[in-house]
Amino acid sequence: MLHIYNTLSRTKEPFKPARPGQVRMYVCGMTVYDYCHLGHARMLVAFDVVQRWLRASGLAVDYVRNITDIDDKIIRRAVETGRRIGEVTEYYIAAMHADERALGVQPPDREPRATQYVGDMLDIIGRLEQNGLAYQADDGDVNYAVRGFAGYGKLSGKALDDLRAGERVAVGSAKRDPLDFVLWKAAKADEPEDTKWQSPYGLGRPGWHIECSAMSHALLGLPLDIHGGGPDLKFPHHENEIAQTEGAFGGVLANIWMHCGPLMVDADKMSKSLGNFRTIRQTIALGEAPADQAQAEYTANPREAEMLRFFIVRNHYRSPQNYAPDNLADAQNALDRLYQALLNVAPDSAGIDWNEPQAQAFKAAMDDDFNTSGAVAALFELASDANRTRSARSAGQLKALATLLGLLQQDPACYFQCATRYSAAGLAQAAAPSATLDAAQVDALVTARTAAKLARNYAEADRIRAQLREAGIELDDKPGGQTQWRRA
């Protein structure tokens, strides 16, 4: 049986959906005012693996991941660039989708935007007001009265007096209590007109936290089977969601709460606020330079894009993970070994045999709180077996099981023909730039070497092989005179 670590109970629990065979999963998505960084990549990939395994386990999944398309940061970006709110958000939504496609992240079943659910937000605010949990302050904002909700702090485990106010702006004196957070922000004269909605409380816009309460309730109802998000959302965002939803409707918002671990740079979490972030596209864009930052769409290097996914997947989703170029190079080398097994032995297409020992180990790992590091270990065992025994069945198992993690779906020969900055050769080249060969140039040299061998000009053939090796190209001469090449 699948067990999942529940942030709320702080234990691993058997997963029992409220409706047998069906999973209602809501994950907090992006605030679309800038490009996604590698910390966002970890969240996107982690929950993509979760939904893949739930479906592979025979469950019908309704996966909702929202988009925050109204927020202080979005407004600032629009004002700074002289664009309308919708122009800013549409651009960065397209950029996010380009990143997802590059990383092999399957789209959620539904992707609601906050601006589409303002009416539902106002309905919840009205319910909270009726229940004595919301009030309109003198400055026009509508705030949540935190001390009126008895369960506040149960997710984060913090006592009320130890908490700080949860909104993204400074606490105003109009609040009755510093812990109260904003549900509805009164419009300000200097704010763009496309950031204002009519409401019973006057012109304004929703606070950040209320949007997810509205969208999850409207689309999935109560209780959610799984509610997930990044590590920094546990408090205050998810704590405030609980207070809003349960304060308005009663019952339980979610049975299981999941939070992925942080991506670390030295001792700090990667984040835009600290300025220590690297975007997804900077890391995996095709070519030596980062992708054109004026374009939402870009072409990813398929070898590097899958490396980044593998880098994330081979660590357990809850554990902290350290970012460094050397760590990416190590991930690239490890992924290369799996692809080398598929290059050495053509896989069969019989599908997964769950009675096979490595498949059982893979399943046991995934059923233990989505332990992808254990699942990846099973893949390496299969790769070793395929290399040792030349077993097409082992190679087939390797490829089929890796599919459940979104890995090993490229043609191995094509995979190896794509250069990467994150191999040992790539890092050395970055330190001491030298001429590189594109695929057409390599093919031409391989053809010339074959012709030299046929003419018994072995000195020329050896010279070409040495030239290719110097450029980071390795050759594998096959029976029948064919030669395969790959980048080191």
Side-chain angles (χ1 to χ4, degrees):
M1 172 180 274
L2 173 62
H3 286 68
I4 303 177
Y5 182 85
N6 188 351
T7 306
L8 183 63
S9 67
R10 295 159 184 80
T11 60
K12 289 182 187 177
E13 300 178 3
F15 181 55
K16 297 178 181 178
R19 301 172 183 170
Q22 301 179 41
V23 180
R24 291 174 291 174
M25 183 167 81
Y26 185 92
V27 173
C28 291
M30 300 300 159
T31 301
V32 284
Y33 72 98
D34 205 346
Y35 297 104
C36 295
H37 61 62
L38 298 185
H40 298 141
R42 190 174 193 200
M43 184 279 290
L44 290 168
V45 170
F47 286 101
D48 180 60
V49 170
V50 168
Q51 65 89 19
R52 284 173 184 258
W53 184 247
L54 293 173
R55 297 181 201 275
S57 301
L59 297 166
V61 180
D62 191 355
Y63 176 24
V64 177
R65 193 188 67 220
N66 77 293
I67 291 173
T68 298
D69 61 346
I70 183 66
D71 176 85
D72 291 344
K73 295 178 181 179
I74 296 172
I75 294 172
R76 283 198 295 271
R77 179 57 58 92
V79 171
E80 290 168 358
T81 58
R83 292 182 290 173
R84 295 180 61 81
I85 296 294
E87 293 179 89
V88 172
T89 57
E90 287 296 337
Y91 176 87
Y92 287 111
I93 289 169
M96 176 186 70
H97 288 161
D99 290 336
E100 291 170 351
R101 288 192 296 273
L103 293 176
V105 172
Q106 296 174 338
D109 296 296
R110 291 185 277 183
E111 194 175 53
R113 303 183 185 189
T115 54
Q116 299 168 338
Y117 289 83
V118 174
D120 297 270
M121 299 178 209
L122 289 169
D123 175 69
I124 293 176
I125 294 171
R127 290 172 179 265
L128 292 172
E129 194 174 25
Q130 292 172 9
N131 294 342
L133 291 170
Y135 62 91
Q136 187 166 23
D138 292 341
D139 60 3
D141 288 353
V142 181
N143 300 316
Y144 190 99
V146 166
R147 293 186 186 274
F149 182 70
Y152 197 84
K154 62 183 177 181
L155 182 67
S156 59
K158 299 181 180 183
L160 278 177
D161 291 336
D162 295 332
L163 298 176
R164 296 292 183 266
E167 67 271 29
R168 288 183 171 185
V169 295
V171 174
S173 60
K175 291 183 178 181
R176 295 176 183 172
D177 189 297
L179 296 178
D180 294 349
F181 60 88
V182 68
L183 298 167
W184 184 262
K185 296 185 177 185
K188 296 179 176 59
D190 60 349
E191 292 179 333
E193 290 304 311
D194 55 354
T195 66
K196 301 173 184 179
W197 282 262
Q198 291 286 353
S199 81
Y201 313 102
L203 277 177
R205 59 186 169 89
W208 174 38
H209 311 296
I210 191 66
E211 66 178 62
C212 287
S213 287
M215 287 182 277
S216 63
H217 182 265
L219 294 174
L220 296 173
L222 297 176
L224 304 174
D225 295 299
I226 296 174
H227 194 319
D232 54 342
L233 296 185
K234 180 166 61 174
F235 179 82
H237 184 56
H238 287 163
E239 195 77 74
N240 290 352
E241 274 191 68
I242 291 173
Q244 292 164 162
T245 303
E246 297 181 9
F249 300 104
V252 173
L253 171 52
N255 290 330
I256 297 284
W257 286 86
M258 295 180 65
H259 295 90
C260 64
L263 186 67
M264 308 297 292
V265 181
D266 296 325
D268 295 316
K269 184 176 77 73
M270 182 178 286
S271 69
K272 288 192 171 76
S273 61
L274 293 176
N276 63 354
F277 68 95
R278 183 174 177 82
T279 67
I280 295 171
R281 61 186 53 210
Q282 285 174 325
T283 309
I284 64 173
L286 190 64
E288 295 181 2
D292 183 353
Q293 296 294 293
Q295 300 294 323
E297 301 286 342
Y298 66 101
T299 301
N301 179 318
R303 192 171 173 189
E304 293 177 355
E306 189 168 352
M307 171 278 296
L308 181 55
R309 184 181 179 98
F310 178 79
F311 168 74
I312 295 167
V313 166
R314 73 170 178 172
N315 286 264
H316 191 274
Y317 77 92
R318 284 194 289 115
S319 64
Q321 187 172 12
N322 292 317
Y323 163 79
D326 285 346
N327 292 345
L328 297 185
D330 182 66
Q332 187 75 77
N333 293 335
L335 182 62
D336 287 355
R337 293 200 299 274
L338 294 179
Y339 265 107
Q340 186 64 55
L342 297 181
L343 186 66
N344 293 340
V345 183
D348 68 17
S349 57
I352 299 172
D353 178 4
W354 290 109
N355 293 316
E356 187 272 333
Q358 281 81 23
Q360 290 181 348
F362 183 100
K363 185 178 188 304
M366 292 300 289
D367 280 344
D368 182 15
D369 192 31
F370 308 100
N371 181 6
T372 52
S373 57
V376 168
L379 298 184
F380 277 101
E381 289 184 15
L382 284 166
S384 296
D385 188 69
N387 286 325
R388 183 179 65 256
T389 65
R390 318 304 286 184
S391 166
R393 186 70 202 104
S394 292
Q397 284 276 83
L398 169 61
K399 185 176 177 65
L401 287 171
T403 302
L404 302 179
L405 301 178
L407 298 171
L408 303 187
Q409 299 310 293
Q410 299 183 57
D411 175 80
C414 295
Y415 169 87
F416 280 117
Q417 290 178 5
C418 191
T420 173
R421 292 161 285 184
Y422 302 105
S423 64
L427 290 175
Q429 186 179 83
S434 60
T436 59
L437 300 174
D438 62 27
Q441 292 171 317
V442 174
D443 286 337
L445 286 168
V446 170
T447 300
R449 176 176 175 269
T450 301
K453 288 172 64 179
L454 289 172
R456 299 183 180 275
N457 187 351
Y458 298 115
E460 175 64 8
D462 289 345
R463 185 197 67 77
I464 294 173
R465 187 183 193 109
Q467 178 185 351
L468 290 168
R469 184 180 294 117
E470 180 68 21
I473 306 298
E474 295 182 359
L475 302 182
D476 184 11
D477 292 323
K478 298 292 185 181
Q482 291 187 335
T483 299
Q484 289 183 340
W485 64 269
R486 68 183 184 91
R487 298 187 189 273

